[in-house]
Amino acid sequence: MDRLLIRGGTPLRGRVKVNGSKNAALPIIAAALLTGDRVIIEEVPDLLDVRTMIAVLEGLGTAVDYHPEGGRLRVVSGDPPLAAPHARLVSRMRASFLILGPLLARKKEVSLPLPGGCAIGTRPVDLHLKGLAAMGAEFAIVNGAVVGRTAGLRGAQIYLDFPSVGATENIMMAATLACGTTILENAATEPEIVDLANFLNSMGASVVGAGTPRIRIEGVSALGGTRYSIIPDRIEAGTLLLAGIITGGDLIVENVLPDHLKALKAKLMEAGAIVEEVGPAAMRAAANGLTAAVDLKTAPYPGFSTDLQPQFMALLALSGGIGTITETIFENRFRHIEGLNRMGAQIQVEGRRAIVRGQPSLSGAPVIAPDLRGAAALLLAGLAAGGETELCGLEHLWRGYGRLEERLASLGARIELVSEESEWAMQTGG
Ligand code: EPZ
């Protein structure tokens, strides 16, 4: 079992580049199924979740060619009817549910395992199904799978009870090939929605209003191939900015779209840190004395991202006062608190709110990552803590961060990836 050994206390300094966005890549790879023509996607990050999505498409009989070093992915789903998705593969990652819209649009029928809840919550898909049903799809739940079929999708007026990112993406993708116009109200406005819409339009779709709560999609008869480059990962960027500040360092983070990080920048400045744009695609983050305690509430974009909540909590654990974090998006996204408290943090949970009593320091400890962003939070805490932290559960970290330990080491972090095999080999001389 791989683990990271982190000896904290070194300020991170230097320049680091952000990879392509995981949460843009996953829906865009799924959207490649909307055409039988060749699709080339650039800047695709080499992540566990991307590899899983590639395997899902290959299981459908799609030809996929991925060059991780260059970040280029080529998809040709071809004209033969797409095979049924591999249930085991799809159930491994919730984002696989994003093939629902494309398969309904192209095959007019699909059976997909209901995505299980995961570490951070039950995560239902009722809004996905309600929107697609409004477009003429019929669904049944059979043996834990969603079985859907349609005589042909047609445009509809849809209002989302919650601005769900995934539901917005599934409905938008399906609507590109529906007969007529779809108006989606109370849609998610995340940058990844805009990136998906731009990708769809590059294939010949007609999507207007992405990035606003009202998206209009004119269905077309077919979509064609394209070459498209995805946006940088704003959550990885925010994680790296926080790494610079929590270690008392000074970082330049490159390949960033500062507009995507306004909420984080505002909160970090309120906490007294230095955060500034140093170019059209770069930001600087530096510590500026003791972090002040602040109150934080997650919200749909452009509010503070739930995906940066655990990482910000690690910083708050070292602040000079008492701050609070309210998690409004997921009902169980505080599982990193146990590990932080093992490192000396003083954090209490009251329902959806965490009360964080800042401490002068944290101390390294063996901790287990509970989920993707919780892994990042514990890693940040380990970089700032005195002594050694051993972080296990790295399969969570690898889902969303590519070779993060190498990039952090290049900035001065004392961090080492240890795999059980190497230790075993040493002991047995194997
Ligand atoms: C996307 O998940 C992201 N994942 C998540 O990032 C992110 O946290 C989330 O959006 C919110 O921003 C990808 O893009 C691959 P939602 P998604 O549908 O689409 C409820 C990460 O760390 N809901 O916006 O699954 C749901 O239970 C991941 O990179 C319904 O009730 O999120 C949740 O409470 C974690 N019914 C809330 O909405 C539905 O049909 C937000 O879910 C759908 C969602």
Side-chain angles (χ1 to χ4, degrees):
M1 171 182 63
D2 289 349
R3 53 210 164 92
L4 282 175
L5 295 183
I6 307 147
R7 275 178 296 126
T10 309
L12 299 189
R13 287 195 174 78
R15 307 177 82 92
V16 62
K17 182 178 177 293
V18 173
N19 291 327
S21 165
K22 167 179 86 77
N23 291 350
L26 295 176
I28 285 173
I29 293 169
L33 294 171
L34 288 165
T35 179
D37 294 350
R38 187 181 69 176
V39 168
I40 306 274
I41 309 165
E42 311 274 7
E43 298 299 319
V44 176
D46 188 10
L47 303 170
L48 212 48
D49 277 6
V50 166
R51 297 287 181 150
T52 301
M53 186 62 95
I54 288 171
V56 168
L57 261 65
E58 287 173 330
L60 292 168
T62 297
V64 185
D65 185 31
Y66 179 43
H67 299 279
E69 61 290 337
R72 172 172 298 170
L73 179 71
R74 190 172 63 97
V75 179
V76 182
S77 70
D79 289 332
L82 296 163
H86 282 275
R88 182 182 45 76
L89 212 47
V90 170
S91 55
R92 194 190 299 173
M93 176 181 69
R94 174 185 173 80
S96 315
F97 204 68
L98 292 171
I99 66 174
L100 178 69
L103 289 184
L104 264 182
R106 275 201 78 198
K107 273 176 58 77
K108 305 204 178 357
E109 62 174 344
V110 60
S111 169
L112 280 181
L114 264 173
C118 68
I120 59 179
T122 52
R123 304 184 75 182
V125 289
D126 56 309
L127 299 177
H128 299 239
L129 303 185
K130 190 175 161 191
L132 294 169
M135 296 170 69
E138 289 174 359
F139 294 104
I141 308 294
V142 180
N143 303 329
V146 173
V147 179
R149 58 174 54 83
T150 177
L153 294 174
R154 55 180 187 279
Q157 180 92 20
I158 300 165
Y159 179 85
L160 286 180
D161 299 341
F162 179 85
S164 154
V165 170
T168 300
E169 291 166 343
N170 250 329
I171 293 164
M172 192 162 70
M173 289 188 282
T176 58
L177 293 178
C179 181
T181 302
T182 297
I183 305 286
L184 184 52
E185 301 274 6
N186 198 31
T189 64
E190 273 71 2
E192 294 76 26
I193 303 288
V194 177
D195 213 26
L196 175 59
N198 291 339
F199 173 74
L200 293 169
N201 287 338
S202 78
M203 295 167 79
S206 171
V207 181
V208 177
T212 77
R214 188 177 192 275
I215 303 176
R216 177 192 176 87
I217 306 112
E218 300 280 350
V220 296
S221 54
L223 295 179
T226 186
R227 175 188 290 269
Y228 189 81
S229 183
I230 62 173
I231 55 172
D233 193 315
R234 62 191 169 97
I235 306 303
E236 179 177 87
T239 305
L240 290 166
L241 291 169
L242 282 158
I245 296 165
I246 199 172
T247 58
D250 192 330
L251 281 190
I252 303 284
V253 179
E254 297 172 323
N255 193 33
V256 173
L257 296 176
D259 265 5
H260 294 170
L261 287 158
K262 284 181 178 168
L264 175 68
K265 178 180 175 188
K267 268 303 156 187
L268 285 173
M269 293 178 75
E270 185 186 334
I274 296 168
V275 183
E276 55 193 8
E277 296 170 27
V278 287
M283 290 178 79
R284 174 180 172 241
N288 184 22
L290 185 63
T291 300
V294 295
D295 296 323
L296 174 74
K297 193 170 188 177
T298 63
Y301 193 85
F304 193 99
S305 171
T306 173
D307 298 340
L308 284 169
Q309 174 265 104
Q311 301 92 310
F312 197 91
M313 189 182 287
L315 179 66
L316 214 46
L318 284 164
S319 69
I322 299 176
T324 62
I325 292 187
T326 306
E327 172 54 62
T328 69
I329 307 294
F330 292 107
E331 69 268 28
N332 187 27
R333 202 172 199 172
F334 281 154
R335 298 174 78 232
H336 44 284
I337 290 175
E338 182 188 343
L340 291 174
N341 284 346
R342 275 171 62 86
M343 297 170 77
Q346 295 282 322
I347 307 169
Q348 279 174 295
V349 177
E350 289 174 3
R352 291 267 185 139
R353 197 169 65 142
I355 295 125
V356 185
R357 288 175 175 73
Q359 301 300 303
S361 65
L362 295 178
S363 56
V367 287
I368 299 173
D371 51 53
L372 166 54
R373 305 302 176 184
L378 295 173
L379 176 48
L380 292 184
L383 290 170
E388 182 171 89
T389 292
E390 179 191 73
L391 177 60
C392 295
L394 297 185
E395 66 281 5
H396 294 294
L397 188 70
W398 302 152
R399 288 190 51 210
Y401 294 95
R403 303 214 311 271
L404 183 59
E405 78 286 353
E406 290 174 16
R407 287 183 282 164
L408 292 171
S410 72
L411 299 167
R414 293 175 297 175
I415 185 167
E416 183 193 357
L417 175 62
V418 176
S419 59
E420 211 70 285
E421 293 72 16
S422 60
E423 280 194 341
W424 175 249
M426 277 185 308
Q427 283 162 14
T428 58

